[in-house]
Amino acid sequence: MREGKNTNNFVTFLKIIAMANKNCVFGIIGFIIVYIVSVMAGAFIGFLGPVFWVFFPALSALLASFSYFYLASRWQKFGLGIVLSILVSVILLAAKEINLQGGLIIILAGVLSDIVRYITGNTCLKAVYVSYPILSLGLISWNLRLWTNTQWYVSNAIEEMGQSYADGLESLANSKILILVIVAVLFFAYSGIRLSHCLMKKSEERFI
């Protein structure tokens, strides 16, 4: 009689574990989608003007930081940055927003992000503060051709947004602006993780 009761308790325990794992998987999938949507949403600020378009990767880095923090708290193994970067790269390539080189840059940022996080410690909170800004740098490849192939980029901007918008972009196509964009992405990515750390206490508890 007691053995039967113990068996039932064990089965119930296994069901609870299975349900928890199932919910964790659904949560990860859901927040991967939220991450991608957040990255894409930041680009819409570009409609406000050329400056906003050039610096939108910083906004995307901020918006996507919350979902990354959640994911990092539950995906404490190598590969999170790679998966996120591949998904973003594939979507942008399919939409013809970037070329193959740009896609590879995004993925490279994801690989470097995971390597740094692995070396620092996948379960360590401070690793997220370093790995996420590196991952976010890959977003710059979305408009990187403004600096690497300016004439082509401006010509396409004329067709899509008009002459005045294209002229504004061309005026921003210098190395000083690119450096400012890099700094802005790093700053907003780091700030986003700090804000996530303050607001998402349940996720914070999963780190050491």
Side-chain angles (χ1 to χ4, degrees):
M1 188 75 166
R2 183 174 296 176
E3 289 182 2
K5 186 175 181 180
N6 289 337
T7 301
N8 289 335
N9 289 337
F10 181 68
V11 171
T12 301
F13 174 74
L14 289 179
K15 288 181 178 179
I16 292 173
I17 295 297
M19 184 63 70
N21 288 334
K22 186 177 181 181
N23 290 337
C24 184
V25 170
F26 284 141
I28 288 174
I29 294 173
F31 272 84
I32 286 176
I33 295 173
V34 172
Y35 173 87
I36 294 171
V37 171
S38 299
V39 168
M40 303 302 168
F44 284 100
I45 196 174
F47 287 106
L48 297 178
V51 173
F52 292 97
W53 173 252
V54 169
F55 282 91
F56 90 80
L59 177 60
S60 291
L62 177 63
L63 295 176
S65 62
F66 303 98
S67 50
Y68 180 85
F69 190 82
Y70 174 93
L71 289 166
S73 70
R74 286 154 177 82
W75 188 327
Q76 296 185 342
K77 296 180 180 180
F78 188 86
L80 175 59
I82 294 174
V83 170
L84 293 176
S85 61
I86 288 176
L87 290 173
V88 170
S89 179
V90 168
I91 291 172
L92 293 180
L93 282 169
K96 297 181 179 180
E97 290 290 332
I98 58 174
N99 57 11
L100 183 59
Q101 183 181 21
L104 291 175
I105 291 173
I106 293 175
I107 294 173
L108 177 61
V111 172
L112 292 176
S113 172
D114 275 344
I115 291 174
V116 169
R117 189 181 176 208
Y118 176 79
I119 293 173
T120 311
N122 285 321
T123 60
C124 183
L125 179 58
K126 68 178 182 180
V128 181
Y129 278 94
V130 182
S131 63
Y132 181 65
I134 294 174
L135 176 66
S136 298
L137 283 176
L139 300 177
I140 299 174
S141 69
W142 197 333
N143 52 23
L144 186 61
R145 283 181 288 182
L146 173 62
W147 294 278
T148 61
N149 194 352
T150 303
Q151 290 305 314
W152 175 89
Y153 199 90
V154 170
S155 297
N156 279 271
I158 292 173
E159 295 179 7
E160 295 181 11
M161 303 298 293
Q163 185 66 54
S164 61
Y165 193 99
D167 290 341
L169 287 176
E170 189 170 16
S171 68
L172 298 169
N174 59 75
S175 57
K176 291 181 180 179
I177 296 297
L178 178 57
I179 292 172
L180 285 176
V181 171
I182 293 172
V183 172
V185 169
L186 292 173
F187 174 78
F188 277 91
Y190 181 84
S191 299
I193 293 299
R194 284 195 64 86
L195 187 58
S196 301
H197 184 183
C198 295
L199 298 177
M200 303 172 70
K201 294 299 182 182
K202 289 185 178 180
S203 294
E204 176 199 357
E205 294 170 359
R206 292 175 175 263
F207 294 107
I208 59 173

